[in-house]
């Protein structure tokens, strides 16, 4: 019975060490078989009476004792030495003694024959066979102290050997990185060492890299999809090794990625976990460096696009500088797009992670893309090379979907936050791209608080942009108060609120049937509410000038305190 001595992802009891040619299990130790072969126990002429097929179990420690309830002192993995005085005299006591030891998960029970027993009783032997507990009787007296010292020395030497082998893999991985290698080389070394496929996944379970092969040379991706891909939150196989790759700086406790070793070809041993833990430390440095370099590159592209938008780079100089950044559009128009996250960014959100996720999503668009980040403003500026002006709406749909998917993948949004705003500018040459990026960036700020849409055409938000620019002028607040102040005051103290009715009515350009349908009101109820709104505001809702003023006031209300 498993008593909790195994860690969550440890190897099974019969794990075979393919590298060392012997059996190992959960921790540093030696097998029961090896312990019996050492001079101390071998001199006692050991005879295995039960559990001969379990002699590959690991001996984690040696304990000697004669008390009846010695099982309560065991933690699992011990080899228990006794002369039998604590076994009891009745068969029931002897069976209970063996059963409790087996439940504790000890490695083996070794009984020295002598004054207490000339031969072990049948009840003891039968119980050991039933429980699968290795039972050994010694025909000659041996000094238990010498046996204990001998086995413990072997355990310490074995642990040191494991450390040496793990350190050798660490050295090889380090040399690979210093020689210009990267994550694939490190995973390849681990895969060769363990004889199994190795995977690096994100903290939320997405596959980043794979190395090695599955059974009969199967592609590791097939192994991943069939096993790990279906078990994100738990080990997919008994004996799997999962090791966290730390991230976010020392002491933060955050996880950047996870190493996964799956025992689909051979069982994994403790040395494989040790090697994976050492490799995880190296991978943490590699990923941190890559993230820093990636964020610097993304910020550099964002700086270029911002300089272009603000006129610090001329339309004549822009193409050459863009080529240096890897952007080589064709002869078609350029499409400026700006995504604004604003205060929706989660604490500790990684802009490098966002840039990578969005870039990967944008590959599906199939067009030249230059993407940057501007963390200070919470913006992601993008420039795309179109084939023709006609494809602008279709490309805008796909780009907006890719941008939003990238934000979701990167985990950049606070819970319950408003979705990001995507603004699509006017397509044209480099001069138009400069003005379009500037216009889209300003409009993205003005669009905060509008109803959520996949994307907005910058040209259709010019009124909102004008009102946003006037947001700090006292005349704008005074205008809003004059136009809809009585209605706001009514809604603060009376039910039902009337402002949603007015907003829906104006959104449908005064079409009462459509307004009633969207608000789920009958026609007479809607007429009564509109009449009450006109009475409160002292205006005629059928007057075009009134409608214009109310529409502007409702838009301006988002920008005033």
């Amino acid at each position: 019975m498993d008593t909790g001595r195994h860690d969550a992802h440890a190897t099974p009891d019969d794990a075979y060490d393919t590298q060392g040619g012997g059996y190992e299990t959960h921790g540093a130790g030696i097998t029961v078989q090896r312990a019996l072969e050492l001079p101390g126990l071998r001199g006692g002429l050991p005879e295995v009476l039960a559990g001969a097929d379990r002699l590959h179990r690991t001996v984690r420690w040696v304990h000697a004792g004669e008390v009846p309830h010695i099982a309560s002192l065991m933690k699992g993995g011990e080899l228990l030495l006794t002369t039998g005085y604590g076994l009891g005299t009745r068969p029931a006591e002897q069976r209970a003694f063996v059963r409790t030891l087996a439940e504790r998960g000890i490695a083996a029970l070794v009984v020295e024959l002598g004054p207490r027993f000339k031969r072990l009783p049948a009840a003891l032997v039968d119980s050991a066979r039933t429980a699968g507990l290795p039972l050994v009787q010694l025909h000659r007296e041996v000094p238990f102290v010498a046996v204990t010292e001998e086995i413990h020395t072997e355990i310490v030497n074995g642990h040191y050997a494991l450390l040496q082998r793990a350190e050798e893999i660490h050295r090889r991985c380090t040399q690979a990185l210093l020689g210009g290698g990267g994550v694939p080389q490190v995973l390849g070394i681990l895969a060769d060492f363990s004889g199994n496929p190795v995977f690096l996944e994100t903290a939320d379970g997405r596959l980043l890299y794979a190395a090695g092969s599955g059974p009969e040379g199967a592609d590791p991706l097939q192994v991943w999809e069939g096993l790990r891909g279906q078990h994100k939150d738990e080990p997919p196989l008994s004996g799997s090794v999962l090791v966290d790759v730390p991230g976010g700086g020392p002491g933060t406790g955050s996880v950047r990625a996870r190493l996964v070793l799956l025992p689909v070809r051979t069982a994994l041993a403790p040395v494989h976990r040790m090697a994976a833990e050492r490799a995880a430390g190296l991978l943490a440095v590699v990923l941190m460096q890559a993230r820093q370099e990636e964020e610097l590159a993304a910020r550099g592209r964002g700086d270029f696009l911002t300089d272009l938008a603000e006129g610090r780079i001329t339309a004549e100089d822009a193409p050459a500088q863009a080529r240096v950044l890897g952007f080589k559009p064709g002869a078609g128009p350029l499409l400026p797009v700006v995504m604004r996250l604003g205060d929706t960014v989660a604490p500790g959100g990684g802009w490098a992670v966002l840039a990578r996720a969005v870039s990967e999503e944008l590959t599906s668009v199939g067009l030249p893309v230059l993407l940057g980040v501007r963390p200070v403003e919470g913006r992601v500026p993008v420039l795309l090379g179109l084939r023709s002006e006609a494809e602008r709406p279709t490309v805008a749909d796909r780009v907006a979907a890719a941008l939003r998917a990238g934000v979701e993948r990167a985990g950049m949004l606070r819970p319950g936050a408003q979705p990001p705003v995507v603004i699509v500018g006017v397509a044209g040459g480099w001069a138009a791209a400069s003005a379009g990026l500037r216009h889209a960036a300003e409009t993205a700020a003005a669009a905060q608080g509008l109803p959520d849409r996949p994307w907005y055409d910058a040209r259709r938000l010019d009124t909102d942009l004008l009102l946003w620019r006037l947001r700090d002028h006292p005349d704008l607040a005074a205008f809003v108060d004059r136009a809809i102040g009585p209605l706001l005051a009514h809604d603060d103290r009376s039910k039902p609120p009337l402002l949603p009715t007015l907003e829906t009515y104006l959104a449908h350009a005064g079409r009462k049937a459509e307004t009633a349908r969207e608000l789920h009101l009958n026609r007479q109820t809607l007429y009564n509410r509109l009449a009450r709104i006109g009475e409160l505001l002292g205006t005629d809702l059928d007057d075009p000038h009134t409608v214009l003023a109310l529409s502007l006031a409702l838009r301006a209300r988002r920008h005033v305190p």
Side-chain angles (χ1 to χ4, degrees):
M1 179 176 176
D2 189 345
T3 61
R5 67 190 174 94
H6 316 314
D7 74 54
H9 312 305
T11 55
D13 278 344
D14 56 352
Y16 186 76
D17 172 17
T18 58
Q19 304 298 321
Y23 284 98
E24 298 182 287
T25 60
H26 307 283
I30 64 172
T31 63
V32 175
Q33 180 66 53
R34 174 59 181 159
L36 297 176
E37 293 169 353
L38 293 174
L41 286 178
R42 190 173 68 241
L45 302 179
E47 178 185 359
V48 179
L49 301 180
D53 60 335
R54 305 293 180 94
L55 298 184
H56 57 265
R57 284 183 172 181
T58 293
V59 176
R60 184 185 59 82
W61 200 247
V62 182
H63 192 85
E66 306 295 342
V67 297
H69 302 293
I70 198 169
S72 63
L73 305 177
M74 303 291 104
K75 294 183 178 180
E78 296 92 350
L79 186 146
L80 177 60
L81 300 171
T82 181
T83 58
Y85 283 100
L87 295 178
T89 58
R90 294 181 300 171
E93 294 174 334
Q94 294 165 358
R95 285 192 290 268
F97 185 87
V98 170
R99 184 175 61 253
T100 53
L101 289 177
E103 290 173 350
R104 279 289 181 176
I106 73 166
L109 172 61
V110 178
V111 183
E112 182 184 81
L113 301 179
R116 180 68 180 86
F117 293 113
K118 299 301 181 184
R119 186 165 186 84
L120 295 186
L124 195 71
V125 177
D126 292 342
S127 296
R129 289 172 179 168
T130 301
L133 175 66
L135 175 63
V136 180
Q137 64 181 8
L138 301 178
H139 291 277
R140 292 180 56 187
E141 181 180 343
V142 298
F144 283 178
V145 171
V147 170
T148 300
E149 290 178 349
E150 191 175 55
I151 294 177
H152 286 175
T153 298
E154 193 80 1
I155 290 172
V156 171
N157 290 341
H159 185 68
Y160 180 68
L162 287 181
L163 290 174
Q164 282 187 313
R165 292 167 61 196
E167 286 301 325
E168 171 60 19
I169 296 304
H170 182 266
R171 184 187 64 80
R172 289 174 54 193
C173 291
T174 302
Q175 287 181 336
L177 294 175
L178 293 176
V183 174
Q185 285 75 17
V186 172
L187 297 190
I189 292 172
L190 281 177
D192 291 342
F193 178 60
S194 67
N196 286 288
V198 178
F199 307 92
L200 184 68
E201 62 179 36
T202 62
D204 60 356
R206 289 183 294 106
L207 180 62
L208 295 174
Y209 298 93
S213 59
E216 300 179 355
D219 189 301
L221 294 181
Q222 294 177 332
V223 177
W224 174 266
E225 292 169 355
L227 293 173
R228 181 60 181 162
Q230 305 300 320
H231 301 80
K232 302 296 187 187
D233 300 323
E234 59 185 19
L237 292 174
S238 175
S240 299
V241 170
L242 279 66
V243 177
D244 289 339
V245 178
T252 63
S254 63
V255 176
R256 173 162 293 151
R258 184 172 291 109
L259 265 176
V260 181
L261 283 67
L262 299 181
V264 296
R265 300 183 67 184
T266 62
L268 294 166
V271 68
H272 300 134
R273 169 172 285 279
M274 291 182 188
E277 289 171 346
R278 283 155 176 76
L282 293 174
L283 292 174
V285 176
V286 172
L287 294 178
M288 181 178 295
Q289 181 181 13
R291 179 171 175 176
Q292 290 172 342
E293 292 175 352
E294 189 169 12
E295 182 164 345
L296 286 174
R299 290 190 182 209
R301 294 189 295 270
D303 291 343
F304 165 78
L305 292 172
T306 299
D307 288 344
L308 178 65
E310 296 178 359
R312 290 190 288 269
I313 297 176
T314 66
E316 292 75 20
D317 294 336
Q321 295 190 33
R323 282 194 297 272
V324 173
L325 297 173
F327 182 56
K328 301 175 182 178
L334 302 174
L335 180 65
V337 179
V338 172
M339 176 175 65
R340 180 178 175 85
L341 282 76
D343 60 358
T344 63
V345 180
W351 286 90
V353 177
L354 174 65
R356 181 171 62 249
V358 171
S359 296
E360 291 172 357
E361 295 289 343
L362 284 173
T363 57
S364 63
V365 178
L367 294 172
V369 176
L370 181 63
L371 177 143
V373 298
R374 294 284 293 177
V376 175
E377 298 92 350
R379 292 201 307 256
V380 177
V382 184
L383 201 58
L384 298 101
L386 302 179
R387 289 179 287 265
S388 68
E389 168 68 27
E391 65 179 349
R392 177 179 181 268
T394 302
V395 170
D397 287 339
R398 296 166 63 188
V399 170
L403 289 170
R404 286 167 168 253
V407 172
E408 184 175 349
R409 279 181 52 187
M412 292 285 283
L413 295 183
R414 297 175 186 270
Q418 290 294 316
V421 173
V422 179
I423 305 295
V424 179
V426 178
W430 281 101
S434 174
L437 282 168
R438 181 170 61 255
H439 186 202
E442 291 182 329
T443 305
Q448 297 293 324
L450 285 176
D452 183 34
R453 292 182 184 175
W455 61 277
Y456 285 92
D457 189 325
R459 294 170 296 189
R460 297 177 62 86
L461 296 180
D462 277 342
T463 301
D464 294 272
L465 178 57
L466 176 62
L467 294 171
W468 178 76
R469 287 173 174 169
L470 296 172
R471 64 190 182 281
D472 295 327
H473 201 289
D475 286 349
L476 186 65
F479 165 68
V480 171
D481 185 60
R482 286 195 306 273
I484 59 174
L487 188 60
L488 297 176
H490 168 273
D491 286 359
D492 284 341
R493 62 176 183 268
S494 303
K495 301 294 182 181
L498 297 177
L499 187 64
T501 301
L502 178 61
E503 290 174 328
T504 306
Y505 177 71
L506 295 177
H508 287 289
R511 294 185 290 272
K512 296 182 176 64
E514 296 178 14
T515 302
R517 193 159 42 246
E518 181 170 332
L519 293 174
H520 305 288
L521 299 174
N522 61 52
R523 297 285 290 269
Q524 188 57 51
T525 300
L526 175 63
Y527 295 158
N528 292 339
R529 290 191 180 182
L530 292 176
R532 178 58 176 156
I533 291 171
E535 178 184 340
L536 287 168
L537 300 180
T539 57
D540 180 2
L541 296 184
D542 293 324
D543 177 60
H545 295 288
T546 297
V547 169
L548 175 60
L550 292 176
S551 298
L552 288 174
L554 289 175
R555 289 191 174 194
R557 179 171 172 262
R558 295 186 297 108
H559 306 302
V560 298

